[in-house]
Amino acid sequence: MIQTIATIELPVDEQLVLEKNRLEPQRKNGKEKRISLVTGIHGDELLGMYVLYEIQRRIQKEPEKLTGILDIYPAINPLGIDSISRGLPQSDIDMNHIFPGNQNGNLTEYMASQLIDDMIGSDLCIDVHASDIFLKEIVQVRMQKRDEAKLLSYARMANADLVWISASATVKEATLAHTLNMMGVPTLAIEAGSGMRIDRDYGNQIVEGILYILKQEGIWKGETQEVRVPDVAYAEDVAYANANASGVFMPAVDIGDWVCKGQQIGEIVNALKGTVEEIIAAPCDGKIITVRQYPIVYHGALMYRILRTKRS
C-alpha cells in the first residue's frame, strides 16, 4: 500500500511528495514486527533502488509468507535523484547531515523531520547506500563503536564482506543511521559499489542478506540462502593508499584482491609527458576493500583502502 509521508509545495505550482510502500501480512494479529528499508538519501546512489525493488518482487511472489510489516522508502531524496545530484539541487545540501531535521526548518530539514517521525517505532531499520562516483566499495556494514553491542548480531547476518566499526568517521552524527540509533531504533548502514551505477551482483548479495535478516526476525517465512561470514574491522585494521602526485590513475588490482606489502597496486601517469608520476605500492598485506573509480586524481586523493589481514 502506497502511503504519503509528506507533501511540500514547490515553485511553479509543483509539489514534492515523499512516499513509502507498506507491505503487510495477509492476516494480522496487531503484534507484528515492523522493519523499515531505506535508500535514496543521496541522489547519485542508485544501488539501493534495485535492492528494494528486488526484495518487493520476491515477497510479492509469495505474499502469504510475509508475517510482519515492511516499510519500503525507495527515494527519500527524490529531487536529488531526479537531478542526478548527491545533495538537494541548487543548495547542494547533503540530506544525510541534517537528521533529525526540524519541523519548522527549511525544505530539507522538514523532509528529514517527517521521515524520522514516520520511522520511529520500527523494530529495525536498514539504510542502503552506494559509494560516490569516485570510489568503489566492497559490500560492508558500517557502524559506530558505541552501537556495536546492539548492531553486530544484525550485521553478521547481512551477507556483507566486511563489518567496519569505527569510533567516529564511518557513521557520522546527523546521519539517518546515527539519529535512529540514538532514538532507540537499531539501524544498519550498508554500503557497496559506486555512485550512478547499479551492480546487480552487489545488489543481489545485499538482497539475500536482508531477506535472511527478515527471516531471522520472524517476519518472512520464504526460502533464504546461507549468508557469508564477514570480516570485522576496527579503525586500526584499515590502511589507506593516497596519491602523492596528480594525473591519471591506472589501477593494477581490484576490489577483493589480496596484496602484499610493497606490491605495485597502481600508478599515476602524465598523459602530456608520457611519464609515470607515481608508482603506488601497498602499505601492508591485506585485502582491497575500496578502489578509486574516477581516474583523474590530485595530490592527497584516496586510491585504495586495504583491510590489514593475511590470506588464510
Side-chain angles (χ1 to χ4, degrees), residues 7-18:
T7 302
I8 304 163
E9 297 297 326
L10 297 175
V12 199
D13 295 326
E14 293 182 321
Q15 288 184 328
L16 170 62
V17 180
L18 294 179

Side-chain angles (χ1 to χ4, degrees), residues 98 116 175 285 291 296:
I98 61 167
I116 289 292
T175 63
D285 295 343
V291 63
I296 305 303

Side-chain angles (χ1 to χ4, degrees), residues 246-303:
S246 299
V248 181
F249 171 55
M250 307 294 292
V253 294
D254 202 355
I255 286 284
D257 288 347
W258 293 84
V259 298
C260 300
K261 183 176 182 179
Q263 175 184 336
Q264 181 176 336
I265 56 177
E267 57 187 9
I268 298 172
V269 303
N270 186 312
L272 177 63
K273 298 178 181 179
T275 56
V276 176
E277 299 297 303
E278 181 188 1
I279 293 176
I280 303 169
C284 62
D285 295 343
K287 183 168 66 174
I288 301 293
I289 60 173
T290 303
V291 63
R292 176 84 176 189
Q293 284 283 96
Y294 191 73
I296 305 303
V297 300
Y298 299 94
H299 184 279
L302 177 63
M303 303 287 98

Side-chain angles (χ1 to χ4, degrees), residues 1-7 16-22 37-39 52 71-78 111 115 118-119:
M1 177 173 57
I2 306 299
Q3 298 180 351
T4 297
I5 302 165
T7 302
L16 170 62
V17 180
L18 294 179
E19 295 178 310
K20 72 176 181 183
N21 190 15
R22 169 164 285 189
L37 304 181
V38 188
T39 195
L52 269 54
D71 279 341
I72 307 287
Y73 303 80
I76 63 176
N77 177 8
M111 288 168 57
L115 287 162
D118 198 70
M119 292 175 190

Side-chain angles (χ1 to χ4, degrees), residues 54-65 220:
E54 183 64 12
I55 287 172
Q56 291 184 85
R57 185 188 71 82
R58 295 195 193 185
I59 290 175
Q60 288 167 355
K61 286 176 63 177
E62 301 177 292
E64 71 282 359
K65 294 182 179 180
W220 172 243

